[in-house]
Each structure stands twice: as C-alpha cells, then as structure tokens.
Amino acid sequence: GENVEQHPSTLSVQEGDSAVIKCTYSDSASNYFPWYKQELGKGPQLIIDIRSNVGEKKDQRIAVTLNKTAKHFSLHITETQPEDSAVYFCAASTSYGKLTFGQGTILTVHP
Amino acid sequence: DGGITQSPKYLFRKEGQNVTLSCEQNLNHDAMYWYRQDPGQGLRLIYYSQIVNDFQKGDIAEGYSVSREKKESFPLTVTSAQKNPTAFYLCASSISGDQETQYFGPGTRLLVL
C-alpha cells in the first residue's frame, strides 16, 4: 500500500520567515495530495491541495509543489505569523477515499 | 468544521463495554469516513462509506463497526474487541469518493476508565 513520509517532525521559525515541509510517497499511482492544518484538540482543516496534473499551486502565503518523478511534494508558507503555529499533515491518495497521511509536523512560529 | 458534527466531545469507556460515536453531516455529501489519531501520529482510516447502506473496511477496522442507514449519519461503534481504544476519533465527509476534498469534524476523544 501507499506510504507517506513527512519531514521534519518539528519546525521552529521566527515570525516573518518561511517554512517548508516535505513529504515523499511510495505509490506512483497517487494523484491527489492535500495538506491539512490541525490546531490542538480540533479536527484537521484543508489548507491547500494539488492534483498530479499540476506542478505548483499557490494561495496567498501558502504554496504546494509536486515532483511526480521524485515522488515528493512540499508545503511552503511565506511570511509566517504566530497563528500559523499548528500541526500540519500531508496526505496522498491513489483510489477512492483512501487518504494515507504523513506523521505530521509541529510548526512553531515565534513572535 | 463546517457542517460536520461529532458527539460527544469526550467519551469514557469501561472494560468490556461497547461505545458508539456519532457523526452527522448536513453538507449533502455522499461519502463519509472514520479515522483514528494517536498522539504524535497521523490519521489512520478505520472505515469508509461511499453511499447509503454500503461501507468498506479501512486499514485498521478490527474491533470497530459502522452503519450507514442515512446519508447524513455514519456512527462508529468501538467494540470490546478493540483492546487499545484510547485515541482521538475523527469523522470526515466528501462530495463523492473520487479524489474529492475530505472535510473533518471536530473529533471525539475516547478514554478508557
């Protein structure tokens, strides 16, 4: 089955810096890659997603890049703010409904 | 959380007891899912349902059961066969199952007494 590895497990940045989280996947058939943000004690919220026919997607301060050849995709957050502090999860999907999640990255943005 | 409700927020289970977690959505989504999240880990799929009266096992279905009698409801029962039930349980839904965005509820934290 699909396996998703996420790095780093923790990331600490200063306010205004950029943050990058990377994920690799094993199944070359995966074609949908969402990123979720989870705050303490709450359910994950989708922040951005990308499909395999696109190499990059941006939404204001957030961007995701996908390298299908290398089987990895990354989340980029620019001009980080303290409210960006949360746990971020990547996921990959090959078939109906079966999202495989990475282990999560705890992002801390220091004022 | 947008249209997906889970109850209760906290649930306590005694030894040998079955407990049921509720998940309701008013988004008119066909597909619904149950995930388990353990501390410091990602989400793992327990069960999913593409349509009413149909559901499939996910990666960790043992010790759990579900039903899908109504489009808006997908309850999860944690049976006594689940020996390590302490976790954060998340319900999600999507318009359909095929590569559609999954939206999550607020979660239920299950603790064993």
Side-chain angles (χ1 to χ4, degrees), chain B residues 35-72:
Chain B
Y35 292 89
R36 169 180 172 140
Q37 185 176 28
D38 292 286
Q41 297 188 30
L43 285 67
R44 291 182 291 168
L45 183 65
I46 305 172
Y47 268 99
Y48 62 104
S49 168
Q50 303 177 39
I51 199 166
V52 174
N53 293 321
D54 185 59
F55 50 83
Q56 284 78 41
K57 292 182 179 180
D59 299 319
I60 55 166
E62 186 174 349
Y64 301 96
S65 66
V66 294
S67 63
R68 186 86 187 277
E69 297 176 1
K70 297 187 295 183
K71 186 176 185 177
E72 59 270 22

Side-chain angles (χ1 to χ4, degrees), chain A residues 9 11 21 36-40 81-89 104-109:
Chain A
S9 57
L11 180 58
I21 303 170
Y36 287 88
K37 175 184 180 181
Q38 186 177 28
E39 297 178 344
L40 192 62
Q81 302 166 3
E83 50 266 38
D84 293 330
S85 297
V87 182
Y88 290 81
F89 290 98
T105 296
I106 301 172
L107 174 63
T108 304
V109 180

Side-chain angles (χ1 to χ4, degrees), chain A residues 31-33 36 38 41-46 49 51 87 89 93-104, chain B residues 1 9 31 33 35 37 40-43 45 48-50 59 88 90 96-102 104-106:
Chain A
N31 53 14
Y32 174 62
F33 308 92
Y36 287 88
Q38 186 177 28
K42 296 185 177 181
Q45 288 194 317
L46 180 80
D49 58 9
R51 299 181 191 275
V87 182
F89 290 98
S93 175
T94 54
S95 60
Y96 181 92
K98 292 180 70 66
L99 279 178
T100 300
F101 283 82
Q103 297 84 353
Chain B
D1 303 333
K9 188 174 177 66
Y33 314 82
Y35 292 89
Q37 185 176 28
Q41 297 188 30
L43 285 67
L45 183 65
Y48 62 104
S49 168
Q50 303 177 39
D59 299 319
F88 191 45
L90 290 156
S96 67
D98 189 17
Q99 307 300 312
E100 292 291 341
T101 300
Q102 293 186 23
F104 284 84

Side-chain angles (χ1 to χ4, degrees), chain B residues 18-33:
Chain B
N18 292 354
V19 292
T20 297
L21 285 61
S22 169
C23 177
E24 304 276 332
Q25 53 96 2
N26 62 3
L27 302 169
N28 200 33
H29 286 174
D30 283 323
M32 297 186 74
Y33 314 82

